[in-house]
Amino acid sequence: MAADSLGVYIHIPFCVRKCAYCSFYSSPADETVRQAYTEALCRDILSYGGRGLGCDTVYFGGGTPTALESGQLIKILEVVKTAFDMDSDAEVTLEANPDSAAPEKLEALRAAGFNRISFGVQSLDDRELSALGRLHDSKKAIVAVKNARAAGFENISCDMMLGIPHQDTASMLATARGLTGLGISHISAYMLSVEEGTPFFEQGIEVDDDRLADMYLALCEQLGSEGFEHYEISNFAKQNRRSRHNMRYWQDREYLGLGCRAHSFFEDRRFFCDEDIKTYISSVSHRLTVSEEHPDRLEEYILLGLRTSDGISFERLKELGADEERLQRIRECAVMLESHGLCRFSGSGFSLTEKGFLSSNSVIAQLELC
Amino acid sequence: MDKSKIRNFCIIAHIDHGKSTLADRILELTETVALRDMENQLLDNMDIERERGITIKARAVRLNYHADDGQDYVFNLIDTPGHVDFNYEVSRSLAACEGAILIVDASQGIEAQTLANTYLAIEHDLEVLPVVNKIDLPGADPDRACNEIENVIGIPAMDAPRISAKMGVNIREVLERIITDIPSPKGDDEAPLKALIFDSYYDPYKGVIIYCRVKEGHLKAGDTIRLMATGAEFQTVEVGFMGATDLIPVGELHAGEVGYIAASIKDIGDTRVGDTVTNAEFPCEEALPGYKKVNPMVYSGIYPADGAKYPDLRDALEKLLLNDASLSFEPETSVALGFGFRCGFLGLLHMEIIQERLEREYNLDLITTAPSVIYKVNLTDGSTVFIDNPTNYPEPALIAGAEEPVVNAHIYTPPEFVGNIMELCQDRRGTFKDMKYLDENRVDLHYILPLNEIVYDFFDALKSRTRGYASFDYELKGYEPSKLVKLDVLLNGETVDALSFIVHVDKAYARGRKIVERLKENIPRQLFEVPVQAAIGGKIIARETIKALRKDVLAKCYGGDITRKKKLLEKQKEGKKRMRQLGSVSVPQEAFMSVLKLDE
């Protein structure tokens, strides 16, 4: 297999405040810890140096990466460039919170090579934002996007959320229109899921699936009419503005996750760093937990490929080891799904429709059982 | 040993009237079981029996008793099932005994099933020794119970021992009365061997263990025995007695004794309960009269939830058959459920017990179909067919007339529940025959009921309408013409063969309605809308719709954590695998089970 360049994911596990729906690993921390973590992260990154590994996407995710100072973020990016052979047109994404995105900070980061920014806006309705426990209001969010543009970011993405308490289809569509009106090129729309251990779970907040489904389809229609391509279950992009880093996940390509609790798919293994912040800072070599060795590429191709509008091709299924009999069963299943409006055939394969995306768990399970 | 010192007896009692407790007290008093081995209700050694407080399988135990006359006696206590479904097992236990202890609850009096079993004992020429139990209860009225025994059964009972098995009161009196009232066995030790098989089970080390009552002759290890029904011959490896906790090998078994035979018998099909064992070299001329063979009355399809477990299910059924000759089964194939067995049972409880034993003792996960009785269908060409599987019910155009089995049912109840019971029987298409007062507190209600109306959930309905006070017994009366139809269930427009059943035309609509409602509740949403219909012939009589699944998606992929998604997917795939795929509809096991008890 020809050496593919990597995607590098950098995990910044800090948050100023934890949101009411979040079950992800993050914690508030003082400046000393943040600096120590930055240094540990740099050491971790450098340990991959000298191996001639290429990299064409870098993604700073969290937590809240902008909880770090711009100098710290820039330092980390410099170290990534040292350790990896980075493409000149690499996509370098930074997740940011609207409330930690001052103009000077954004300018410095842009100048240092960050070229894509993804804001966790979630909603432009203040009542919904406070229900989520976000620190920003809608005004701050709009200002943050404008500042990013002023700082030279052309590739701006915003996250929005469906199923927020108090939200209805109208307010959700108002958020979508508000965001597209700012001229952004990418939207990630996630449906709220109430996870155990979160305040939402404790409060007994429930999300009605039928209502969510209606909202989702309404959003798809709205964004489609504004020229956004619905290229993945939760992602919409203007032309050529798909998230190249996230596409790696769906295309089953390799990525290295660095930082505590970051996940990797590298050298035919899926693993993650199973350490908390304190341990991560103090360890010389990190404890990596392998979650999967030699994952079944055929099953992954179906699972991941069908999340995208590119879908899956019969040719590729065959390359990955599906025999004629299985191909035939998959084809028959797809024909059945098509008759219910859940998938559509292209010349070489098939992909899920938006209705199919909505029930993709069951659809994919059924196809994988073929 | 001296036959005059042997007593072979069984105990007849209604559920909860204290049979197992009395047996335990007898075991204690004869010091058959060391105290440390003593567990409550020792004789019932299956989990299900203990939980339900009933005895399903006949078991036997040998006891030594030092009597008041200074002599030592040997008692063989042979356990009997109390329930109406198990007449067959009762009769095989009775055939091994000379006497029966009839236990009657001093507060409740005689129950319907007790009566049936007592008549069976009298038919077998057994001496019946009545015992009035639970005299310690506040509501106990021993005089009334004795009167009832004399009036209803017609045997003298005023001098019946009055005991409390629970408190251990007057147990010794029962033991003494066993010696004086129950005759000792007869038989000639030197005659050719004649031994009656009344139970057997498979032991992984010794092969089949036969429990038998030696009627004539004697038997020792090394003898070659012949099983007269099959003609199969085996060399005896070991003979002995049944201790309360262990088998006790002994040199010889003689006429009048109860014991076991181990002869390295591998094929469970060779030993049939009711068969006669004889000596191959000095055979007896003719076999003992076999038991009255009872035929299954209720049939149901049993399928493994996981199709790959079919051979396991077959093995399990074969093993159960060894201990339960009243069970019958043959392979059956269903479009919906794949490979399974059509099983015949004596009644509904028998069916439930077999299913539970398959699940518990053999670790099988089962899908069963609605119980069916045997319908007699007269065809237009003049021939007659018997149908025990709704799938095989002929097309309406070919049917000249149909008949269904009906039973004579006796329900014993306190008078205040008569109204409720009559309503229930009416609802179950019953015909009232008569009503008799056994005494001022108990009524015998006699109804003719179609068997297919009681195989579903009649027991449960009766219990809930009488707060558990009524008891019930029935016997097959014969066949009567009936307006029957076959009701089909369609999922997504396709008939599901395993869900079809035969029903009286007047009840078809209501039952069809209930079934589609149940299925709607128990089949999860699918990727598309699924109509659930009930139909007679081609005509739809009820319909529900299972709505399409709208949202089932894991939206976010946190920092490339694909594993989480894959775990979810694996779980989902496992769930789907456990379901039956009917066309493009996935149906869980619970959906099939949900239609079995519709009146809950």
Side-chain angles (χ1 to χ4, degrees), chain B residues 73-131:
Chain B
Y73 289 85
V74 165
F75 288 172
N76 287 302
L77 167 54
I78 294 167
D79 207 11
T80 54
H83 194 271
V84 54
D85 279 1
F86 300 99
N87 271 348
Y88 179 80
E89 300 208 356
V90 174
S91 75
R92 74 195 207 201
S93 306
L94 297 176
C97 302
E98 279 79 35
I101 299 176
L102 166 66
I103 303 181
V104 175
D105 186 315
S107 61
Q108 293 183 31
I110 297 171
E111 301 291 352
Q113 291 146 33
T114 327
L115 191 62
N117 285 345
T118 308
Y119 286 146
L120 214 53
I122 293 170
E123 246 174 68
H124 278 81
D125 292 325
L126 263 55
E127 187 63 37
V128 176
L129 167 61
V131 168

Side-chain angles (χ1 to χ4, degrees), chain A residues 210 255 292 300 358 362 368, chain B residues 550 552 554-555 560 566 573:
Chain A
D210 282 324
Y255 50 91
E292 221 179 346
E300 291 196 345
L358 260 177
S362 311
E368 290 211 343
Chain B
R550 295 279 323 271
D552 177 22
L554 195 61
K566 287 172 82 171
K573 277 155 75 173

